Amino acid sequence: AAEMSTLKTVSIVLAFTAAIGMVLGTAGFTAMNADRGIEVSVVDDESAYLAANQTTDTVPSGTHTTVIELENRFGIDLDTVTVDDVRVAAENSNVTVEAFSGPTDHEGVEAGEAAPVTVTLSCTATESASVTLAFDVSASGEGVDLSTTYERDVTCEPETEPDTEAD
């Protein structure tokens, strides 16, 4: 009879637990939020996914000159690469950016390829002037959305007057 009483007690406890589970539901959940951290590292151009390779460090005044090439190292094609702005990074009244050109919103850069960025500077001084140019660049592609600024040091060479010799 003691075995029957224990079996009866266990059965009642299990039946009660099942009834409570049906009334209150299970201990599950239907939604969850999770914050995932992201780590961003600043690397040099040898390791960058979108590198700004400097092609020259001298820009003659008034001459459209390729200063950097934007190289796609993502391993996928970028749908758009846009040079949004080029400016003199620090105050320098002797040098101004007259014009710039590079990839536009409608141009992408294929994996492993590079796109040139050209700049026209105006030097008002009679001697060479060193400046830092800031290139604001944005790019996008499958799983990529990038906006960054590259800074490169260049020397603006003033226009030279043609040599005139008196006869």
Side-chain angles (χ1 to χ4, degrees):
E3 286 182 33
M4 190 58 117
S5 176
T6 304
L7 184 59
K8 190 174 183 182
T9 303
V10 170
S11 297
I12 291 173
V13 169
L14 287 175
F16 181 73
T17 303
I20 293 291
M22 292 173 84
V23 170
L24 298 178
T26 61
F29 52 90
T30 58
M32 181 177 108
N33 281 334
D35 290 328
R36 292 184 287 176
I38 183 169
E39 184 175 321
V40 177
S41 299
V42 177
V43 296
D44 56 14
D45 279 332
E46 288 77 35
S47 303
Y49 286 121
L50 184 63
N53 302 320
Q54 190 162 351
T55 58
T56 187
D57 55 3
T58 303
V59 179
S61 183
T63 304
H64 212 53
T65 306
T66 300
V67 176
I68 61 172
E69 288 184 336
L70 298 172
E71 182 183 357
N72 177 1
R73 297 183 188 161
F74 275 99
I76 61 166
D77 294 347
L78 293 173
D79 300 326
T80 62
V81 176
T82 305
V83 179
D84 300 307
D85 191 25
V86 178
R87 64 190 182 288
V88 176
E91 189 80 24
N92 187 324
S93 60
N94 293 327
V95 180
T96 56
V97 176
E98 295 296 321
F100 66 91
S101 64
T104 63
D105 286 332
H106 307 292
E107 295 179 63
V109 178
E110 293 180 6
E113 297 295 316
V117 178
T118 58
V119 177
T120 304
L121 297 180
S122 176
C123 309
T124 57
T126 57
E127 294 185 14
S128 300
S130 295
V131 296
T132 300
L133 296 178
F135 299 82
D136 294 335
V137 177
S138 56
S140 63
E142 186 178 329
V144 174
D145 191 15
L146 166 79
S147 181
T148 189
T149 300
Y150 298 100
E151 290 189 351
R152 297 295 181 268
D153 295 325
V154 297
T155 300
C156 185
E157 295 290 338
E159 293 183 50
T160 57
E161 298 294 324
D163 288 334
T164 56
E165 292 184 22
D167 288 319

